[in-house]
Structures are given as C-alpha cells and as structure tokens.
Amino acid sequence: MYNAGFKGRTRVSNIGLGNRPQSKGNQEKNLWSSLLDSVASGKKLPEKNLLVLGGNPELQREFLETLESDTSRRPQDRRKKKPPIANECALGYTYQDVLDVDHDDILARLSIYLLSESLTIYSALVKPLLTPKTLSETLVVILLDWADPWSWARQVRDWVRFLKGVIVTMDDESKVAAEETMQEWQQRKRGAPYEGGTATADAGVHIPLGQGEWDEPLGLPLCVACHGTEKIEALEKDHGWREEEFDFSLQYLRTVLLKHGSSLIYTSLSVPNSLPTLIHSSLGIQSLLKRQSVKHNVIDRDKILVPPNWDSWGKICVLREGFDVEGISSGWSIDIQLPPKSPPGQSTDSETSESSAPKNASTHPFERPPSPNIPGSVLPIYEQAIPNPYKDRPSTFPPIGEVPLETTVPSMQEFLKSAQEEMARLTEAEEKASSATTQQQQPPASTTLNATEISTPTRPSSSTANIANTAEPRVNEHIGPVQFNMGGIQVDADEMVKHLKEKGDKEKK
C-alpha cells in the first residue's frame, strides 16, 4: 500500500511544473467574456438624432409630448419619471426610447437637441452635432406655432439660412457625407409607400425629379411641423381667417419645402396624428412586428401631412387656382441666399438694417429688426396675403437702441441715500395731498352748525337763532328724523327737543 501510494506520488512528481495542464478557470473566463461582449453588442441600441429648431420652451415641450405619449411607454416604465427636458438656455437636450408595437423591445435611442433662436452665434453649438458619422442618422425639424402663422415664411427662411451657414463651415469630409445623404434621399421612389425611410419599389427604378424638386438641398433631411392646430378656430373667430388664407399658407409652405425635399405636418397635442410614424420612418427606425406607412393628407386642414418625395407643382396648384407656384419657387432661392460677409471694419447687413430701423419700431428690445426686402424676394408676398394683426398696435416695449444692454449697480450707501430721498419726496407729496383733501371737505363757515345750538334749552341770541332757523331744515333734510329707545319706549329726538324748548319758555314766563 505504501509503495503503491509512493509510486503514485512519484509518478505525479515526475511531471514538471512547466508541463502541468493549465487550469480551466482562465478558459472559462475568456469564454464568458466573449459571450457577454457578443450579447452586449447585439443589444446595443441604434442611436438617432433629432434637431428641433424654433419655438419657445413651452411649445417644444408640447411637441415632444406629441411625439411620445404615455401609451408608447412600456407598462413597467410608465411609473418612472420621464427624462428631463433642458431647453431653457441655448442648446437644449433630452432623449426618448422608441419602442416596438408590443411595447416590449426598444428599437432605438432618440437623442433630441432643441434650439429656439436662429442667431449666428449658436451655429457653433450645432456644428459639433453634424459629423460624417451622424449626418445620415439625423433629422432636422423646424417647429412653427399656429399662434403666429403670419411669421411662418420668415421663420423658415431664417432657419434655412442658419442651416446653410452651418453646412458651409463644415470640413470637407462632412460636406461629402452631407452630399451623399442628399443623393440617397433624392433617389428614393417618389409616390411609393414610405416605410422605414426606404422605398418599397425596385431600387433600380428611378423617377426623374420634377420642377422645383430638390433645387436647394440643405445636406440634411428636413421636416417642418406646424404645432397647435387647436388654435385654428381662434384664427377664424378673432382674425377673420377664411379658406383662402389657410390654402395660401399651405400652398406657400409646400412650394418652398419642395425645393429642400422636406416633409410637412400639422400637429396637435389633443388630436391624434402621424407625427411619431413620420419622424421614425424618416430616421429609418422600423418596427420588427408591423410596418407602418405614412399616408399623405392634404384635405383636412388640421391633419395635413405631406411625406418627403411625394409633392409636386401639379398637386400644389390643384388645391386652389391662381397660385403662382413657379414665381414663389424661383423667388425663394433669392430669399435664402446667405448675406455676403463684410470686410473688417465695415458693418454687415444685419447691423445696417438695425441701425436704419426707425426708433419707434414696435419690436422687442432683444428682437432683431426685420431685414430689408431684397429685389425678387417672395417673402413680402406671404406677409401681404397673411398680414400680422398686431403689427399696427403700439408696443409696450421701448424702441430698440434705447434700452442699454449693460448697467451699473450702485453701492449700498448710494442706494440707501437715493431710497431715503425718494421716501421723503413721497411723504411730502402725500401730506400735501391729504391737507388739500381736508380743506375741500370742510363746509363753508355760514353753514357750520354746532349741535348745542340746536338742542340747548336757553334762548339763543338773535344772530344765532337766525343761523339755526336757516340751517335746521338743511340738517333735518340730510339726517332725517332721529329716534332712540328709552326704557322700551321709542322717543323722537326732534319732538323731545321741541318739548324742552317750550317747557323752558314757560318756566321763564
């Protein structure tokens, strides 16, 4: 037994340390790591970007609520708080998870960037978002408000100029990626069911572009959303809008957006619409269970939907006769041209227009004055057909240029001194007003009457008696009969005074 055990031990000991088989722990660890990495890469969400331009913070929040309702969230996530929306300063951000039809699987993570002002200085915030990798995964939405439809054309023009200014400053690689993205969108089958951002027809069949289509590609897919269709009724009642105004604004928008290959949709938080389907399909987000197609609607004025690559001049003219679609299309190319850069030391067009603006212009002190009209511009045509009803009303803001952008804060002692002087001045004025009011309320000396002169039982003097006799009817007229209760008996004061006078006279006699 011992030899056998020894031999066994000797046999094991003869195996060198270098020749001993390695532990399976490292192999199992590497195996699990590869499995976890493959599962993680398989569950990695596609990332899409949505750039929302325009609208105030409240309108942007309503738009995002329209894009994602509670029904689009998973049951286990409905009790959780929604992602915060940080859109109060400059470039805002939030995100949404796009769910499948059964609300179980997350199809994509949608990163949403929000910008309210089309100022040139904000282009530096948008430019880093547009890289060769993200350009094909980004959709731009210009958000318009039904509260001021008379400014739609100017807002769209300003945002198109803003986007063109950003594209011009991009590097060559990004410009090439933007051009490839536009070529891909132009080659999509027009008129076919728009599913998931791709055409369902044969990819080898291409329909040539019609007149006015894709004349001014921006390098990014574009969608214009007019939010707040519940305000249409107020436009009819308060501002006298008729079908002509609604049709003209729709024809104008469709004509100018056709040049950029843009889609158009009217949305509302209170009315179901196809906004999620349009946005998701434009970004290439497809449901794994059910394909949803975007259907056009140009009849219901509160549910307008014009998919990309669907519209044409002929369809626009059918809406109402007399619309100059060719003139609007050609003039829009003039409106969206970027202003030339001025040499150093010279003012730009915006500065010139600001300095030439009238001092009594009814603009907000921080609002840019309207730019001067350009020859061939079609922007005045829209503003004449859809006039601003508040344009001629006086503004509550002081004229631009009279409000300084910088101010100095006085020291504490200076502030207290000025406050004390102001308090003294107000106290003096109040005392003067109080004394003047007191003098006005005092009656004339001829009508002043002491109560003792009426109720005293003694014989008054002749002058006093005359005053009392003349003033007594006035007093009785104003105060009426005076009665009081004495031991449960109702007594007339006038009768008692008269009785006392008579009694006094009898005693003297």
Side-chain angles (χ1 to χ4, degrees):
M1 297 294 293
Y2 176 79
N3 292 335
F6 179 78
K7 290 180 181 179
R9 289 194 296 271
T10 303
R11 181 174 59 85
V12 174
S13 63
N14 288 337
I15 301 176
L17 295 176
N19 297 328
R20 186 170 57 185
Q22 297 291 332
S23 174
K24 294 183 180 180
N26 294 334
Q27 296 179 358
E28 292 178 356
K29 182 178 181 181
N30 295 333
L31 178 62
W32 279 108
S33 298
S34 61
L35 288 175
L36 292 174
D37 292 340
S38 62
V39 171
S41 61
K43 290 188 175 181
K44 187 176 181 181
L45 295 177
E47 296 182 359
K48 305 292 183 177
N49 297 328
L50 185 66
L51 180 59
V52 181
L53 305 177
N56 53 35
E58 294 181 0
L59 186 70
Q60 292 175 352
R61 292 175 184 272
E62 287 188 6
F63 176 77
L64 295 182
E65 290 181 9
T66 307
L67 182 60
E68 180 194 30
S69 59
D70 291 336
T71 56
S72 63
R73 306 181 69 190
R74 293 183 295 182
Q76 60 268 27
D77 295 340
R78 290 179 183 174
R79 294 184 179 180
K80 297 181 180 179
K81 293 183 177 180
K82 293 183 178 181
I85 303 175
N87 62 338
E88 297 294 338
C89 300
L91 184 66
Y93 174 78
T94 187
Y95 70 91
Q96 291 182 2
D97 290 334
V98 182
L99 303 180
D100 207 343
V101 179
D102 57 357
H103 300 165
D104 289 335
D105 297 329
I106 300 178
L107 300 178
R109 169 66 59 84
L110 187 59
S111 297
I112 305 174
Y113 301 90
L114 307 115
L115 185 63
S116 298
E117 297 290 339
S118 58
L119 300 177
T120 309
I121 56 176
Y122 292 149
S123 60
L125 302 176
V126 177
K127 183 179 177 181
L129 305 177
L130 307 179
T131 62
K133 184 179 179 180
T134 60
L135 278 170
S136 59
E137 310 294 337
T138 302
L139 176 66
V140 178
V141 175
I142 297 179
L143 184 58
L144 304 177
D145 191 359
W146 269 102
D148 56 345
W150 36 85
S151 63
W152 283 358
R154 187 174 295 273
Q155 292 180 25
V156 173
R157 184 206 63 176
D158 292 343
W159 284 117
V160 169
R161 286 183 175 180
F162 178 84
L163 292 174
K164 292 182 68 175
V166 174
I167 298 296
V168 168
T169 58
M170 292 194 309
D171 53 26
D172 295 338
E173 185 180 359
S174 299
K175 291 181 180 179
V176 171
E179 185 177 356
E180 292 177 353
T181 302
M182 290 294 94
Q183 290 179 356
E184 178 184 355
W185 275 74
Q186 292 178 17
Q187 291 174 358
R188 291 175 179 176
K189 171 74 175 179
R190 184 191 61 182
Y194 191 73
E195 301 177 354
T198 57
T200 59
D202 187 5
V205 178
H206 300 287
I207 297 180
L209 299 176
Q211 292 180 318
E213 297 183 30
W214 291 101
D215 289 346
E216 299 285 347
L218 299 176
L220 287 167
L222 181 63
C223 174
V224 173
C226 304
H227 187 71
T229 55
E230 66 275 1
K231 303 171 186 175
I232 291 179
E233 185 177 356
L235 291 174
E236 293 178 322
K237 293 182 178 180
D238 300 339
H239 304 295
W241 273 46
R242 299 170 298 175
E243 293 295 334
E244 290 77 4
E245 283 78 8
F246 290 106
D247 292 344
F248 180 85
S249 60
L250 178 58
Q251 287 179 307
Y252 191 99
L253 286 179
R254 289 172 59 182
T255 302
V256 301
L257 297 181
L258 184 63
K259 299 175 69 65
H260 309 301
S262 171
S263 57
L264 175 64
I265 185 172
Y266 289 2
T267 61
S268 175
L269 184 60
S270 58
V271 180
N273 51 72
S274 302
L275 177 64
T277 305
L278 176 62
I279 298 298
H280 298 163
S281 61
S282 299
L283 289 170
I285 303 176
Q286 302 180 14
S287 174
L288 302 177
L289 301 177
K290 179 182 178 181
R291 290 185 175 272
Q292 298 180 351
S293 60
V294 179
K295 298 181 179 180
H296 66 276
N297 185 354
V298 293
I299 299 177
D300 300 329
R301 65 183 183 186
D302 59 339
K303 299 179 182 179
I304 296 297
L305 174 56
V306 180
N309 292 329
W310 175 86
D311 215 350
S312 65
W313 280 7
K315 297 176 182 177
I316 295 174
C317 293
V318 168
L319 184 60
R320 183 172 292 273
E321 297 181 356
F323 182 78
D324 186 10
V325 60
E326 184 176 0
I328 297 297
S329 180
S330 59
W332 184 253
S333 300
I334 301 175
D335 282 318
I336 62 176
Q337 290 180 0
L338 294 176
K341 295 183 179 181
S342 60
Q346 296 184 7
S347 61
T348 59
D349 292 345
S350 59
E351 296 174 353
T352 303
S353 61
E354 182 175 348
S355 61
S356 61
K359 293 297 182 180
N360 57 351
S362 59
T363 56
H364 191 279
F366 300 104
E367 182 182 354
R368 294 175 300 176
S371 57
N373 294 330
I374 306 173
S377 171
V378 294
L379 185 61
I381 298 178
Y382 182 89
E383 294 180 345
Q384 290 175 4
I386 311 293
N388 184 359
Y390 305 104
K391 185 176 182 180
D392 298 332
R393 296 186 180 181
S395 176
T396 57
F397 296 101
I400 189 170
E402 296 184 5
V403 179
L405 298 180
E406 297 181 0
T407 183
T408 57
V409 180
S411 63
M412 182 62 67
Q413 296 298 329
E414 294 177 354
F415 170 76
L416 293 176
K417 181 180 179 181
S418 61
Q420 184 181 8
E421 294 175 354
E422 183 68 15
M423 292 284 291
R425 185 184 65 82
L426 293 176
T427 303
E428 183 180 359
E430 185 177 357
E431 291 177 353
K432 291 181 179 180
S434 178
S435 60
T437 305
T438 304
Q439 293 177 0
Q440 292 178 0
Q441 292 179 350
Q442 290 181 354
S446 59
T447 59
T448 303
L449 183 63
N450 195 346
T452 58
E453 297 179 359
I454 303 177
S455 60
T456 180
T458 59
R459 182 181 296 276
S461 60
S462 59
S463 61
T464 305
N466 294 332
I467 296 175
N469 292 332
T470 56
E472 186 174 1
R474 295 184 181 179
V475 176
N476 294 334
E477 181 181 355
H478 284 284
I479 66 176
V482 179
Q483 296 180 353
F484 57 90
N485 193 305
M486 180 180 294
I489 301 174
Q490 198 74 12
V491 180
D492 191 345
D494 296 336
E495 292 293 335
M496 179 168 287
V497 171
K498 184 179 180 181
H499 179 69
L500 290 174
K501 287 182 179 180
E502 294 178 354
K503 186 177 181 180
D505 293 340
K506 290 179 179 179
E507 290 178 355
K508 288 181 179 181
K509 291 179 180 181

